[in-house]
Every structure is written in structure tokens, then in C-alpha cells.
Amino acid sequence: MPNSPVRRPARPRSLRGPGQRLVGVFALFILLPGAFLGVFALRVLRQESQLARQRTRESLERTAEEIGRDLDSEFRRWNDAVRSAASLERPLVVNSFPEIVGQAFAEPGGGVFLSMSDERLEVFPAGAILYVSRSPAPAQAAPSQPLVGLAEAESLEIARKNYPSAIRAYRNLLDSADAGSRPLVLQRLARTLRKASRLEEAAGAYRDLRHLDAVWIGGLPSDLIAQAELCSLASERGDTADLAQEATAFYRDLATGKWLLDKPRYLYYSDLGRTWCRDSRVEAGEFNSLHATEGRRLALSRAAENFLDNPRTVLPGEDLAYLAFRNTDPFAAILVSADVLGSRWWQRILSSRWEDLEGVLYAAEGSAVFGSPPPATPPFAVTRDLRIDDTPWLLQIWPGRPEGIYADIRQKRTLSLTMLGFVTVLLAFGSYLTVRIVKRELEIARLRADFVSTVSHEFRSPLTGIRQLGGMLLDGRVTDPEKQRGYFKMIVQESDRLARLVENILDFSRMEEGRREYRFEPLDPSPWLRKLVPDFGSEIAANGVTVEANIPDGLPSISADGQALGSAVRNLLDNAVKYSPGEKTVWLDAEAAAGAIRIAVRDRGVGISEQDQKHIFDRFYRAEGDISKRVKGAGLGLSLVQHIVAAHDGTVECRSRVGEGSTFTIRLPTAPVKKGG
Ligand code: ADP
């Protein structure tokens, strides 16, 4: 039957319809919710990090409150210590105070307990402060009875300047004086000896005086007078070694608070002591350490002076601040350096709450009492007003290592982002796979539908032909025997075509199910091909097309299923004819190659584009273009060819150029093949 144009349903070449729907469904159910989730997750992340900061800040706020409570209870403990010490029997001992107070007292300038009874100031421990602004009013050991002869001796010394007589008089007095009066007489004697330029004797007298129990003479302790005079004598003599020794001892006694003097006297003697030390080149290390000790005690002394003038809780100093814990009746107070409290309390209070916590506590007037103010507001800093011991304070705390908190936040964010990224990639990959699979399934479904409709059309035209020809013959309308023969021949040809079509479909179905079986036998290609050509030629002769065969003799034998291979070659020839409209010749060439034979089917037809060449061996595939619309076909022929050739361990390849024609070459190995399926 000629290739009469058949009406075929318009073939959908693209998947735009279902594809668009698919994209739509995809966007609606996966991408849109995915994007939504992504945005939502990012928002949650941002909120998370804000929340983490907020939590840190809240925790710091709580900590600040707790620190306030801690400070309050510490203050209460110190106030209790003062109260109980104020009411204790005298003399006080260090054990009268809680341990931490005792520790503060033990440090030079660390702390002092002051109390007032009968208008007399009591300082504990002795030597904690170096001076008081009011008179110390210590119990002065006045001579137990007026010294008879003292006035006379003094008159000899001062008014008459009769030093030898005065010296004698003093010495006589010394013999008769009691312990309470001896220092006074000895001091007068030493003084007069000095005036008389009997320096050695004067020094001896002062040394004796130094060793006596001290009494106050003219507002100064007698041993202080003796030590100062010994320094002065050594200085006058230019005896640097002696001066160094005396001056060190004197300055040490001053700096360690051996004498509680009034302020002007202390400052005067301290100045003198330092000058002597420097003049005699006292060893720098020792001097500096004494000087530092004195500095700390002086600072505490100034704080005490301030406090006594104006009792209050915080006493800001030049370098150090002091806190005062006090009791009103009887008046008593503990003054303690903020430095000491800082190292004992403050660090403990901070570190017990939060690792690496830093902070500063400001007194009401703005000075930092504990901790040092940060140069700039640190991250996460929390500031709080506190009221401790009825005094307003300002507390600022902040984490010493905010990087830790940031790192924590960052770590959580990175983790969440990684997971989000992972889910996104997974979603994208899953979506891609789904789209691919669905697309392929759609394509196959479409191809199957196409196939059914194409096959129906393929069947219809030969059947119609057979039906018409048969009908005419049956009715006896054709009487000419020659015509009758021609009609019968056409019926046979159409039936062959139908049979081939059915065979192709059955082959394909077997192939699809993996049931196609081959019977391999030794096959001599030359005669086999030569027989194939006229069989096929007679089918197409009606169209005026001929097969020009070029089959050499003696091609090497192959192992093949002759019927299957014949169907493959016929399919190629069929295509060559179908896709060469207007051309009257197709070619079949065979040749021997190394270890193989080659069978090539060539035409000068429409050719196949490079793009289509990649797919023509796929099942159901039909190239784009007019020719495919005009020419019947189910897209099965070449996939069958490929399957058959592959079963023979061979290959099939296509060379084609659009408009010039195509050549399909089957290459089959000559080695015997034993295969069954
Ligand atoms: P069909 O039944 O469509 O011929 P085939 O599997 O035999 O199916 O071929 C697949 C497609 O390859 C054809 O639709 C056609 O577009 C193209 N094709 C096959 N052989 C040729 C040829 N000789 N010349 C041009 N195109 C061809």
C-alpha cells in the first residue's frame, strides 16, 4: 500500500500543559511553603538571638539584685562587728572582731577601729593610723610628786647657761628620781650635755632615755625625743653610718605608728625622718617599703580625720576610698580600705555569681569604690541603683568575656542555618528528582497514548485496502484475470505489512518484558542478504523505489538469528524509503571489516538533525518536522533494531545530515556468539 497521507491527531510536541501544571503545583505546595518556611526560620533565628541577648541581660539584672543583697548582708556583718566591739570590755584584742575585720587590721592602712569614751579617742589596733587631728590625750605619766630641785637645775641650764652646774644638778636629781620622773630628768641632762658640746655624753644619755619606759614630755613621747636627738647628733657629727642606722629605726617607728601624735607634730617628724634617711643614703629598698607603708597608714589617718569631722559611710580618698561602719552610742566605727574589701569581698561576690563577671560600685557622689570604671560602656552592661545600709549606691556589672556569649549565639545560629541550608538543598534535590520522574512518566504516558493512536491508524489503512480489494473481488466486479492477480498481490502485500507491523509490536512487547528470545545459528551473510533484498524490493516496487544492493561474495560467516536480524535490516530499509520522499533509490551495502561485517542502509532522504540523532533509538521517539507528520510510524523501528543488534553483540550507528540523507550501519562480530535472550 502506498504511503497515503493519514489523518493523525495533532501530536503534542511539548509538555507545556502538564509541565506548567506541574510547576504550578510545585510552586504552590513545595516552593511557596518552602520559601515561607525559610523566611519564617530566618525570623525565628533573629528572634532567637535577640532572646539570647535578652536572657543574658535579665540574668545580669537578677545578678545585680543578688549582689545588692550580698553587699547589704556584708555591711550588716560589719555593722554588727562595730556594735559588738563598742560594747566590749577594754582592752580590745584582735579576736574581738570577726576574722575578716582582723585581716583588714593586719594590713598597713587596711582598717582601724575608732571609739570614743570620756572624750578620749581609742584607736585599735595601735599604730593603724599615724596621727589624729585632735590631741591624742594619752595618759601622760606626770611626775608622781613635784621634783625638788628640777626648777633650780633648769634655771642653771636656761637662765644662767651654767651648763656644768646644770649637768651636775640634773645628775644628782637623776639619782634620786623615781621611775616616773627619770625620763624627764634624763632628757634635760642630755639636752644640757648637748648644749655644753659634750656630744658623746649627750648621745649616751639619749640612748639611756630611749630604753626607759616612755613618758610624754611637752606633747611628745620621751623615746621619740631620744631617737630624734640621736639622729640629729649623728647628722651633726657627719657620721653617715650611725645616722643611717638611727634614721631607719626612727622612721620605721614613725611609719609603723609607734606613737600616735597630733597631726603637725607627726608631719614634722616624718619629714625630718625622711630627710635623715635620704641624707644618710639609707638602702633604697628598705626606705621605699617604709615610705609605702607610711603612705597607706597616712591615707587611713586622713580618712579617719575626715570621718571624725563628718561621720559618713563612704570616704573617698586620693587613690583609695574607705568605708565606715559605725555605731552611734557609744560612738565607734570601723574604717576599712575599699581596696582591702575589694580584694576580699568584691571579687568573691562577683565571681560567686557568674564566671568572668566584672563590675564597679559607685558611691552616691560618683566615685568608684569597688572595681574600676570601664573606658566605654561594655556590651551587656547592666546598671542598677542600690540602697545599702541606708546609703544610695550605683552598681554596674557586665560579662568580662562577652565573646563567649556572642560565640554561643553565633554557634546556635550557624547550626540552625546549616540545618536550614541542608533542608533547602534536600528540598531542591527532591524537587528536582520529582520533577524529572514525573516529567518522564508524563512523557511515557503521552508516548503510549500516541503509540496507540498511531498503531490504530497504521492498521486501518491496510485493512481498509484489503477490505475494499477483497470486496471488489468477491462481488465479481473485477473480471480481468490480470487485474485480479494484481489485486490479490496487493492483498498479500498489505497482509505482509500488517503481519510485519504486528510482528514489530509483538517483538517490542517481548523486548519490553525481557522475553524476546533469539535463535543463533551460523549464518552466511552474502546469500542471506541477497535473498532479503528482492523480498523487500517487491514490497516497495509499487512505489517505483528500488534497493540498490552491493553485497560482495564470501563475507565471513556470523552467528545470528536470521529472522530477527532480517527484521532489523528491513526496518532500516523501510525507514530509508519512508524518509526519502521523491527519491527512487535506497542502498544496501555490506562489507567485511576487521573481525566483523558491516551492513549499511543508505538513502538520500530528509536526513536527521543532530539533536534528533541523540534520541532516534529511544522507544516511541519520532523526530520533529513535517515529514514525521506525513509519514506513518510508531517510533518503535529503531529501538527494535538496536535491541536486536545488541543481542548479536553488534552496534548500530547513524550518520546523517539534514537534506542530504542518512546512513545506518550495523556492525556485527564474526566470532561465533552463543546467546539466548
Ligand atoms: P518510525 O516508526 O517513526 O519510523 P523509527 O524508530 O523507525 O520510528 O524511527 C525513529 C525516527 O527516526 C523516525 O520518526 C524518523 O524521524 C527518524 N528516522 C529514522 N530513519 C530515518 C531515515 N532513514 N531518514 C530520516 N529520518 C529517519
Side-chain angles (χ1 to χ4, degrees):
M1 214 30 203
N3 280 347
S4 54
V6 183
R7 247 172 47 84
R8 311 177 62 234
R11 191 174 164 208
R13 300 302 311 172
S14 81
L15 284 171
R16 203 170 299 139
Q20 263 174 355
R21 260 202 310 282
L22 191 70
V23 169
V25 168
F26 221 79
L28 201 67
F29 289 100
I30 297 188
L31 296 183
L32 220 71
F36 216 75
L37 270 179
V39 171
F40 181 68
L42 285 175
R43 285 187 134 213
V44 168
L45 270 180
R46 223 188 1 249
Q47 272 173 7
E48 262 286 306
S49 87
Q50 268 167 6
L51 215 74
R53 284 157 199 267
Q54 177 74 14
R55 271 199 295 267
T56 308
R57 216 159 282 133
E58 277 171 11
S59 164
L60 278 166
E61 299 259 0
R62 271 198 306 278
T63 306
E65 220 161 274
E66 286 168 9
I67 289 176
R69 278 202 293 276
D70 273 10
L71 286 171
D72 202 48
S73 84
E74 292 287 354
F75 270 65
R76 212 165 309 127
R77 277 172 52 192
W78 283 71
N79 281 326
D80 289 349
V82 176
R83 233 189 320 282
S84 68
S87 58
L88 280 178
E89 284 290 312
R90 298 299 192 266
L92 291 172
V93 286
V94 173
N95 286 351
S96 319
F97 298 89
E99 198 188 341
I100 185 167
V101 183
Q103 284 171 3
F105 288 167
E107 267 179 50
V112 63
F113 173 77
L114 304 172
S115 73
M116 199 75 86
S117 63
D118 307 331
E119 285 302 303
R120 262 194 51 215
L121 181 71
E122 184 188 9
V123 175
F124 182 88
I129 54 175
L130 302 179
Y131 67 78
V132 283
S133 45
R134 329 167 168 217
S135 155
Q140 296 197 8
S144 39
Q145 54 197 5
L147 261 177
V148 182
L150 182 67
E152 173 58 24
E154 280 179 342
S155 149
L156 281 170
E157 176 204 346
I158 295 161
R160 282 182 258 160
K161 297 200 178 0
N162 184 347
Y163 300 132
S165 305
I167 289 166
R168 256 193 314 278
Y170 282 134
R171 283 209 164 116
N172 288 339
L173 270 173
L174 202 58
D175 291 339
S176 59
D178 61 3
S181 318
R182 275 178 71 83
L184 179 72
V185 181
L186 200 51
Q187 185 261 337
R188 299 289 197 267
L189 171 63
R191 185 174 70 192
T192 318
L193 283 168
R194 192 170 178 191
K195 284 182 187 163
S197 299
R198 290 156 66 174
L199 299 184
E200 277 307 314
E201 285 172 81
Y206 278 126
R207 268 193 285 273
D208 290 346
L209 178 60
R210 183 171 56 184
H211 291 123
L212 290 184
D213 285 342
V215 296
W216 287 74
I217 303 169
L220 286 171
S222 55
D223 50 351
L224 179 146
I225 298 170
Q227 281 180 251
E229 287 299 325
L230 282 169
C231 291
S232 162
L233 278 170
S235 165
E236 201 174 303
R237 281 202 316 275
D239 185 343
T240 326
D242 193 30
L243 179 60
Q245 204 180 349
E246 293 293 348
T248 309
F250 179 60
Y251 187 48
R252 182 183 302 115
D253 285 347
L254 273 171
T256 51
K258 183 177 181 185
W259 308 291
L260 183 62
L261 305 179
D262 60 63
K263 188 175 181 180
R265 281 194 172 88
Y266 180 83
L267 294 180
Y268 170 76
Y269 280 105
S270 157
D271 195 37
L272 214 53
R274 280 198 306 276
T275 312
W276 283 326
C277 282
R278 270 196 288 271
D279 288 352
S280 60
R281 292 196 201 88
V282 164
E283 200 249 311
E286 181 163 19
F287 174 75
N288 288 340
S289 114
L290 280 177
H291 191 45
T293 305
E294 184 196 22
R296 285 197 289 275
R297 288 204 170 94
L298 273 177
L300 181 62
S301 310
R302 274 193 295 274
E305 186 183 7
N306 264 336
F307 175 73
L308 291 172
D309 282 351
N310 173 19
R312 59 202 190 278
T313 305
V314 183
L315 302 153
E318 280 154 36
D319 302 325
L320 292 172
Y322 295 86
L323 295 185
F325 306 96
R326 62 207 140 117
N327 186 52
T328 349
D329 190 24
F331 180 83
I334 292 176
L335 263 55
V336 61
S337 126
D339 206 29
V340 168
L341 278 188
S343 60
R344 300 261 151 78
W345 266 20
W346 187 237
Q347 286 313 322
R348 177 170 54 76
I349 287 177
L350 288 183
S351 61
S352 68
R353 302 271 163 229
W354 189 309
E355 211 185 328
D356 295 318
L357 186 67
E358 289 189 26
V360 55
L361 185 71
Y362 297 95
E365 89 295 334
S367 62
V369 176
F370 293 140
S372 34
T377 310
F380 301 107
V382 162
T383 310
R384 242 192 136 73
D385 286 315
L386 298 177
R387 191 151 193 96
I388 307 165
D389 195 27
D390 266 342
T391 324
W393 298 81
L394 189 75
L395 171 71
Q396 188 178 38
I397 53 172
W398 62 93
R401 287 194 313 115
E403 317 85 53
I405 299 167
Y406 286 129
D408 237 38
I409 294 173
R410 254 199 309 274
Q411 198 185 359
K412 275 191 197 133
R413 200 172 44 201
T414 312
L415 197 76
S416 308
L417 275 177
T418 312
M419 276 174 62
L420 194 70
F422 187 66
V423 169
T424 309
V425 169
L426 219 67
L427 197 74
F429 187 63
S431 309
Y432 168 74
L433 280 186
T434 314
V435 167
R436 252 185 79 129
I437 292 167
V438 170
K439 237 177 137 175
R440 191 178 302 161
E441 289 305 314
L442 278 174
E443 172 81 14
I444 288 173
R446 183 184 65 74
L447 289 173
R448 277 189 208 283
D450 256 16
F451 171 72
V452 170
S453 102
T454 311
V455 165
S456 316
H457 283 282
E458 289 267 312
F459 273 97
R460 199 159 57 188
S461 39
L463 278 177
T464 315
I466 291 169
R467 172 74 187 78
Q468 280 173 353
L469 293 172
M472 278 157 70
L473 288 170
L474 193 68
D475 293 349
R477 272 186 278 157
V478 185
T479 47
D480 178 12
E482 197 51 36
K483 258 190 175 169
Q484 279 180 348
R485 236 183 87 76
Y487 281 11
F488 279 128
K489 200 176 165 190
M490 279 166 83
I491 287 173
V492 169
Q493 276 178 358
E494 285 301 281
S495 309
D496 279 350
R497 237 174 77 109
L498 269 179
R500 226 179 23 254
L501 197 62
V502 170
E503 196 54 39
N504 262 0
I505 292 168
L506 285 176
D507 273 355
F508 176 75
S509 147
R510 283 188 216 113
M511 218 169 70
E512 283 279 275
E513 291 166 19
R515 286 190 297 109
R516 177 73 163 97
E517 284 184 5
Y518 296 93
R519 275 207 303 279
F520 292 96
E521 299 167 333
L523 185 75
D524 190 354
S526 306
W528 170 72
L529 277 172
R530 284 200 189 109
K531 169 145 184 3
L532 205 74
V533 174
D535 284 356
F536 180 75
S538 64
E539 284 175 31
I540 54 168
N543 300 337
V545 182
T546 53
V547 179
E548 206 176 298
N550 175 21
I551 304 159
D553 283 325
L555 285 173
S557 157
I558 55 169
S559 172
D561 180 329
Q563 206 222 331
L565 209 55
S567 146
V569 175
R570 241 194 315 273
N571 266 315
L572 290 181
L573 285 169
D574 200 26
N575 278 353
V577 175
K578 280 199 297 187
Y579 298 108
S580 308
E583 288 292 329
K584 293 296 169 203
T585 315
V586 296
W587 289 267
L588 176 77
D589 304 320
E591 60 176 2
I597 61 158
R598 269 202 290 262
I599 304 163
V601 175
R602 185 156 53 87
D603 64 63
R604 284 214 208 107
V606 294
I608 309 162
S609 73
E610 277 186 22
Q611 183 57 32
D612 284 334
Q613 284 181 37
K614 291 182 201 152
H615 302 290
I616 50 174
F617 291 100
D618 296 347
R619 56 201 182 139
F620 304 124
Y621 188 85
R622 305 205 68 213
E624 296 275 357
D626 283 351
I627 188 79
S628 290
K629 290 189 186 130
R630 280 190 279 115
V631 174
K632 287 176 283 182
L636 291 181
L638 287 182
S639 66
L640 276 171
V641 171
Q642 193 175 45
H643 192 272
I644 293 165
V645 172
H648 285 76
D649 278 349
T651 55
V652 55
E653 62 168 39
C654 162
R655 283 214 189 130
S656 182
R657 289 185 100 144
V658 175
E660 290 182 15
S662 317
T663 306
F664 285 84
T665 310
I666 294 174
R667 189 180 183 282
L668 296 163
T670 50
V673 186
K674 285 217 166 62
K675 231 175 164 182

